[in-house]
Amino acid sequence: MKKILITGNRDYGLCQAICNLFDNMDNISYSTVSRSNGWALEKAEEQHRLAEYFVENKYDIFINNSALWKFHQIMIAEQVYNKCKDAGHSAYLIHMGSTADTGVKGRTWRYPTEKKALRDYNRDLTYMAQGGSNIKATCNSPGSLTTPSVMKKHPDRKLMNVTQAAEYIKWVIDAPENINVNELHLDPVQ
């Protein structure tokens, strides 16, 4: 049985799609953490508590899915990685990035910069796995998803269904143990 911890609101967006997929699987148990159930993940002390919670409860997989700002998603990734490393805890860290991290024009929106930083940090973690770390890492970056906010912001864009994006997370989880899927970028064809 794989034990998974997911950041994000169980009742919204990609997190909801991931949970719905996992609800139908016998070999997976999961929990979610977000503001909706009392976790203030934008606070450093909560990020530290999350990392401790992950290791103490012997989770196997961490899906870093929260849409936090001010680079908190990277700070969470660092906390969880360091806690696992210090405890000698084997883990698989899946960081949810975005294909918005590949800029094609100038912009002042910080979201793509934060997702690019997350992808770069994940690359460093994948090099650690190649060097013998017992912690695997993947940056899974879907393009625009069928969430209410994205559908409102981009009404003319073709979007990727959140259920399909969740299936790729499951695909990454099911990769052979001796393989680390470093990155996955997925965009709907326009």
Side-chain angles (χ1 to χ4, degrees):
M1 167 100 38
K2 292 178 182 174
K3 194 171 177 186
I4 302 173
L5 184 62
I6 310 164
T7 60
N9 184 334
R10 164 68 177 98
D11 299 317
Y12 182 80
L14 183 57
C15 187
Q16 181 180 36
I18 295 167
C19 293
N20 289 344
L21 180 67
F22 291 167
D23 282 342
N24 299 317
M25 306 186 81
D26 294 330
N27 64 338
I28 289 178
S29 71
Y30 69 88
S31 300
T32 62
V33 294
S34 71
R35 279 187 299 269
S36 64
N37 61 2
W39 290 81
L41 297 177
E42 72 280 3
K43 296 180 180 178
E45 61 273 10
E46 287 286 280
Q47 295 165 9
H48 179 74
R49 182 169 78 101
L50 174 66
E52 288 181 343
Y53 181 81
F54 180 81
V55 171
E56 288 171 4
N57 289 282
K58 298 180 174 40
Y59 282 95
D60 304 300
I61 299 168
F62 178 66
I63 301 177
N64 189 2
N65 179 60
S66 289
L68 298 171
W69 58 302
K70 293 187 177 180
F71 296 91
H72 291 300
Q73 195 177 12
I74 298 162
M75 302 310 293
I76 290 170
E78 180 183 50
Q79 285 285 332
V80 172
Y81 177 83
N82 286 337
K83 188 65 176 177
C84 289
K85 182 182 71 154
D86 292 347
H89 182 74
S90 294
Y92 190 0
L93 313 180
I94 300 172
H95 305 112
M96 295 310 299
S98 171
T99 59
D101 68 3
T102 306
V104 294
K105 62 183 177 180
R107 57 191 167 199
T108 59
W109 186 34
R110 189 172 57 198
Y111 176 83
T113 303
E114 292 187 27
K115 291 299 187 177
K116 183 175 184 174
L118 178 66
R119 179 172 43 103
D120 288 346
Y121 183 70
N122 183 81
R123 282 183 179 165
D124 289 339
L125 297 183
T126 64
Y127 298 141
M128 298 300 290
Q130 293 170 14
S133 167
N134 60 343
I135 305 165
K136 292 172 37 171
T138 296
C139 188
N140 189 335
S141 300
S144 300
L145 299 174
T146 55
T147 62
S149 60
V150 173
M151 290 187 295
K152 182 178 179 182
K153 185 176 181 179
H154 303 289
D156 298 327
R157 185 181 293 174
K158 292 180 183 173
L159 307 175
M160 178 185 292
N161 186 289
V162 291
T163 301
Q164 187 176 25
E167 290 169 351
Y168 278 100
I169 294 166
K170 175 73 171 72
W171 179 81
V172 167
I173 289 170
D174 288 341
E177 280 294 316
N178 66 327
I179 298 296
N180 189 78
V181 179
N182 299 345
E183 294 179 24
L184 196 58
H185 277 235
L186 307 161
D187 271 314
V189 176
Q190 296 300 308

